[in-house]
Amino acid sequence: MALPAAGDKRVTTALINNSGLFARDAKVYAALHTPIAFLIGGPNDISYQNAEADFKAINNVPLFLANNPVGHAATWDKVNAGEFGRVGLGWFKWQLFGDAA
């Protein structure tokens, strides 16, 4: 749902967590206009192949792909969402507030 919503002109960045489209959609990709990060959980993540396919199909905006082989549940059950939370927060701080740290 986040990837199609990222085409909205009011959106300034998107973070795709353990997800990807079930089928490639050129209309969704063409509407993208802002940097996007993908956080996926390696080959054991049920969304791995879909996220990888989306990442490879998008060529009109800056992309970041982080792949940590921890499965679909990622590190969301850890304190502060673990490594996925740290990277996701870092992405938003950089994109929304210019924090290069």
Side-chain angles (χ1 to χ4, degrees), residues 49-92:
Q49 290 180 346
N50 293 345
E52 286 275 319
D54 287 338
F55 182 82
K56 290 175 183 172
I58 298 168
N59 60 16
N60 57 325
V61 296
L63 297 174
F64 171 77
L65 174 68
N67 187 8
N68 186 358
V70 294
H72 189 63
T75 59
W76 304 119
D77 62 341
K78 307 292 186 225
V79 173
N80 295 324
E83 190 68 6
F84 276 55
R86 186 185 71 76
V87 172
L89 180 60
W91 176 262
F92 283 129

Side-chain angles (χ1 to χ4, degrees), residues 11-33:
V11 174
T12 58
T13 191
L15 180 62
I16 312 301
N17 295 306
N18 305 91
S19 189
L21 299 178
F22 288 115
R24 307 301 56 83
D25 190 329
K27 289 174 89 174
V28 168
Y29 302 146
L32 299 174
H33 60 92

